[in-house]
mmCIF file of all heavy atoms in Angstrom:
data_model
loop_
_atom_site.group_PDB
_atom_site.id
_atom_site.type_symbol
_atom_site.label_atom_id
_atom_site.label_comp_id
_atom_site.label_asym_id
_atom_site.label_seq_id
_atom_site.Cartn_x
_atom_site.Cartn_y
_atom_site.Cartn_z
ATOM 1 N N LEU S 65 -45.377 -78.394 78.561
ATOM 2 C CA LEU S 65 -45.622 -78.237 79.989
ATOM 3 C C LEU S 65 -46.818 -77.313 80.133
ATOM 4 O O LEU S 65 -46.970 -76.366 79.349
ATOM 5 C CB LEU S 65 -44.433 -77.579 80.684
ATOM 6 C CG LEU S 65 -43.120 -78.340 80.778
ATOM 7 C CD1 LEU S 65 -42.178 -77.606 81.723
ATOM 8 C CD2 LEU S 65 -43.318 -79.765 81.239
ATOM 9 N N GLU S 69 -43.251 -72.809 85.714
ATOM 10 C CA GLU S 69 -43.021 -72.326 87.071
ATOM 11 C C GLU S 69 -42.931 -73.543 87.974
ATOM 12 O O GLU S 69 -43.576 -74.555 87.714
ATOM 13 C CB GLU S 69 -44.185 -71.442 87.515
ATOM 14 C CG GLU S 69 -44.251 -70.148 86.729
ATOM 15 C CD GLU S 69 -45.482 -69.332 87.069
ATOM 16 O OE1 GLU S 69 -45.861 -69.310 88.249
ATOM 17 O OE2 GLU S 69 -46.047 -68.739 86.149
ATOM 18 N N CYS S 70 -42.149 -73.443 89.027
ATOM 19 C CA CYS S 70 -42.070 -74.595 89.915
ATOM 20 C C CYS S 70 -41.636 -74.189 91.311
ATOM 21 O O CYS S 70 -40.759 -73.342 91.470
ATOM 22 C CB CYS S 70 -41.119 -75.651 89.350
ATOM 23 S SG CYS S 70 -41.334 -77.225 90.214
ATOM 24 N N ILE S 71 -42.267 -74.808 92.286
ATOM 25 C CA ILE S 71 -41.915 -74.503 93.680
ATOM 26 C C ILE S 71 -40.721 -75.344 94.140
ATOM 27 O O ILE S 71 -40.163 -75.106 95.188
ATOM 28 C CB ILE S 71 -43.112 -74.745 94.640
ATOM 29 C CG1 ILE S 71 -43.624 -76.188 94.504
ATOM 30 C CG2 ILE S 71 -44.220 -73.749 94.389
ATOM 31 C CD1 ILE S 71 -44.684 -76.554 95.546
ATOM 32 N N TYR S 72 -40.342 -76.356 93.352
ATOM 33 C CA TYR S 72 -39.242 -77.230 93.746
ATOM 34 C C TYR S 72 -37.931 -76.806 93.098
ATOM 35 O O TYR S 72 -37.916 -76.013 92.154
ATOM 36 C CB TYR S 72 -39.550 -78.684 93.378
ATOM 37 C CG TYR S 72 -40.667 -79.284 94.196
ATOM 38 C CD1 TYR S 72 -41.648 -80.072 93.607
ATOM 39 C CD2 TYR S 72 -40.745 -79.068 95.571
ATOM 40 C CE1 TYR S 72 -42.673 -80.620 94.354
ATOM 41 C CE2 TYR S 72 -41.774 -79.618 96.326
ATOM 42 C CZ TYR S 72 -42.728 -80.392 95.713
ATOM 43 O OH TYR S 72 -43.733 -80.931 96.461
ATOM 44 N N ASP S 73 -36.867 -77.412 93.596
ATOM 45 C CA ASP S 73 -35.549 -76.996 93.130
ATOM 46 C C ASP S 73 -34.677 -78.209 92.793
ATOM 47 O O ASP S 73 -33.565 -78.345 93.299
ATOM 48 C CB ASP S 73 -34.890 -76.143 94.236
ATOM 49 C CG ASP S 73 -33.861 -75.183 93.649
ATOM 50 O OD1 ASP S 73 -34.045 -74.747 92.496
ATOM 51 O OD2 ASP S 73 -32.871 -74.893 94.337
ATOM 52 N N CYS S 74 -35.205 -79.078 91.942
ATOM 53 C CA CYS S 74 -34.447 -80.275 91.573
ATOM 54 C C CYS S 74 -33.186 -79.834 90.821
ATOM 55 O O CYS S 74 -33.276 -79.077 89.848
ATOM 56 C CB CYS S 74 -35.291 -81.198 90.703
ATOM 57 S SG CYS S 74 -36.878 -81.598 91.465
ATOM 58 N N TYR S 76 -31.141 -81.067 88.723
ATOM 59 C CA TYR S 76 -30.905 -81.414 87.317
ATOM 60 C C TYR S 76 -31.866 -80.710 86.367
ATOM 61 O O TYR S 76 -31.753 -80.842 85.162
ATOM 62 C CB TYR S 76 -31.047 -82.936 87.127
ATOM 63 C CG TYR S 76 -32.324 -83.478 87.759
ATOM 64 C CD1 TYR S 76 -33.543 -83.385 87.117
ATOM 65 C CD2 TYR S 76 -32.292 -84.038 89.033
ATOM 66 C CE1 TYR S 76 -34.709 -83.836 87.726
ATOM 67 C CE2 TYR S 76 -33.445 -84.494 89.646
ATOM 68 C CZ TYR S 76 -34.646 -84.381 88.983
ATOM 69 O OH TYR S 76 -35.799 -84.819 89.582
ATOM 70 N N CYS S 77 -32.817 -79.949 86.898
ATOM 71 C CA CYS S 77 -33.937 -79.509 86.052
ATOM 72 C C CYS S 77 -33.789 -78.051 85.621
ATOM 73 O O CYS S 77 -33.520 -77.169 86.435
ATOM 74 C CB CYS S 77 -35.239 -79.682 86.827
ATOM 75 S SG CYS S 77 -36.675 -79.104 85.915
ATOM 76 N N VAL S 78 -34.032 -77.828 84.358
ATOM 77 C CA VAL S 78 -33.928 -76.478 83.815
ATOM 78 C C VAL S 78 -34.997 -75.553 84.414
ATOM 79 O O VAL S 78 -34.813 -74.342 84.497
ATOM 80 C CB VAL S 78 -33.995 -76.538 82.264
ATOM 81 C CG1 VAL S 78 -35.383 -76.904 81.778
ATOM 82 C CG2 VAL S 78 -33.524 -75.250 81.639
ATOM 83 N N ASN S 79 -36.102 -76.145 84.851
ATOM 84 C CA ASN S 79 -37.209 -75.333 85.381
ATOM 85 C C ASN S 79 -37.157 -75.140 86.892
ATOM 86 O O ASN S 79 -38.103 -74.653 87.496
ATOM 87 C CB ASN S 79 -38.554 -75.994 85.022
ATOM 88 C CG ASN S 79 -38.687 -76.191 83.544
ATOM 89 O OD1 ASN S 79 -38.418 -75.277 82.774
ATOM 90 N ND2 ASN S 79 -39.066 -77.387 83.124
ATOM 91 N N ARG S 80 -36.069 -75.539 87.525
ATOM 92 C CA ARG S 80 -36.027 -75.464 88.995
ATOM 93 C C ARG S 80 -36.179 -74.016 89.472
ATOM 94 O O ARG S 80 -35.809 -73.062 88.761
ATOM 95 C CB ARG S 80 -34.726 -76.066 89.511
ATOM 96 C CG ARG S 80 -33.493 -75.284 89.117
ATOM 97 C CD ARG S 80 -32.265 -75.981 89.650
ATOM 98 N NE ARG S 80 -31.081 -75.180 89.394
ATOM 99 C CZ ARG S 80 -29.881 -75.502 89.821
ATOM 100 N NH1 ARG S 80 -29.694 -76.599 90.500
ATOM 101 N NH2 ARG S 80 -28.848 -74.742 89.552
ATOM 102 N N ARG S 81 -36.704 -73.924 90.658
ATOM 103 C CA ARG S 81 -37.053 -72.627 91.242
ATOM 104 C C ARG S 81 -35.913 -71.609 91.172
ATOM 105 O O ARG S 81 -36.110 -70.433 90.873
ATOM 106 C CB ARG S 81 -37.448 -72.873 92.703
ATOM 107 C CG ARG S 81 -38.011 -71.711 93.436
ATOM 108 C CD ARG S 81 -38.255 -72.084 94.883
ATOM 109 N NE ARG S 81 -37.019 -72.518 95.547
ATOM 110 C CZ ARG S 81 -36.944 -73.454 96.473
ATOM 111 N NH1 ARG S 81 -38.031 -74.100 96.858
ATOM 112 N NH2 ARG S 81 -35.798 -73.773 97.030
ATOM 113 N N SER S 115 -45.985 -80.882 83.632
ATOM 114 C CA SER S 115 -46.047 -79.560 84.257
ATOM 115 C C SER S 115 -45.044 -79.408 85.387
ATOM 116 O O SER S 115 -44.697 -80.383 86.061
ATOM 117 C CB SER S 115 -47.459 -79.336 84.824
ATOM 118 O OG SER S 115 -47.560 -78.005 85.295
ATOM 119 N N GLY S 116 -44.598 -78.185 85.585
ATOM 120 C CA GLY S 116 -43.924 -77.824 86.834
ATOM 121 C C GLY S 116 -45.001 -77.713 87.906
ATOM 122 O O GLY S 116 -46.194 -77.866 87.626
ATOM 123 N N ILE S 117 -44.576 -77.447 89.129
ATOM 124 C CA ILE S 117 -45.559 -77.378 90.218
ATOM 125 C C ILE S 117 -45.853 -75.914 90.515
ATOM 126 O O ILE S 117 -45.001 -75.198 91.050
ATOM 127 C CB ILE S 117 -45.033 -78.063 91.504
ATOM 128 C CG1 ILE S 117 -44.312 -79.375 91.171
ATOM 129 C CG2 ILE S 117 -46.171 -78.272 92.504
ATOM 130 C CD1 ILE S 117 -45.169 -80.480 90.680
ATOM 131 N N GLU S 173 -37.562 -90.433 88.136
ATOM 132 C CA GLU S 173 -36.387 -89.585 87.888
ATOM 133 C C GLU S 173 -35.084 -90.230 88.347
ATOM 134 O O GLU S 173 -34.208 -90.466 87.542
ATOM 135 C CB GLU S 173 -36.509 -88.189 88.534
ATOM 136 C CG GLU S 173 -37.745 -87.403 88.108
ATOM 137 C CD GLU S 173 -37.726 -86.932 86.666
ATOM 138 O OE1 GLU S 173 -36.983 -87.504 85.857
ATOM 139 O OE2 GLU S 173 -38.492 -86.015 86.324
ATOM 140 N N ALA S 184 -33.030 -84.016 94.347
ATOM 141 C CA ALA S 184 -34.419 -83.530 94.267
ATOM 142 C C ALA S 184 -34.986 -83.415 95.674
ATOM 143 O O ALA S 184 -35.849 -84.203 96.080
ATOM 144 C CB ALA S 184 -35.249 -84.486 93.410
ATOM 145 N N LYS S 187 -38.659 -83.925 96.738
ATOM 146 C CA LYS S 187 -39.367 -85.172 96.401
ATOM 147 C C LYS S 187 -38.880 -86.301 97.291
ATOM 148 O O LYS S 187 -37.742 -86.312 97.722
ATOM 149 C CB LYS S 187 -39.088 -85.557 94.942
ATOM 150 C CG LYS S 187 -39.587 -84.545 93.943
ATOM 151 C CD LYS S 187 -39.216 -84.988 92.551
ATOM 152 C CE LYS S 187 -39.754 -84.019 91.506
ATOM 153 N NZ LYS S 187 -39.289 -84.359 90.169
HETATM 154 S S1 SF4 E 1 -40.623 -80.762 90.248
HETATM 155 FE FE1 SF4 E 1 -38.390 -80.766 89.941
HETATM 156 S S2 SF4 E 1 -38.182 -81.791 87.938
HETATM 157 FE FE2 SF4 E 1 -40.333 -81.158 88.076
HETATM 158 S S3 SF4 E 1 -40.384 -79.133 87.099
HETATM 159 FE FE3 SF4 E 1 -40.077 -78.801 89.290
HETATM 160 S S4 SF4 E 1 -37.876 -78.618 89.543
HETATM 161 FE FE4 SF4 E 1 -38.247 -79.560 87.580
#
Side-chain angles (χ1 to χ4, degrees):
L65 293 190
E69 293 174 38
C70 194
I71 56 173
Y72 291 137
D73 206 31
C74 306
Y76 49 81
C77 177
V78 71
N79 304 313
R80 66 181 186 176
R81 188 184 59 215
S115 186
I117 318 291
E173 304 290 21
K187 297 178 178 174

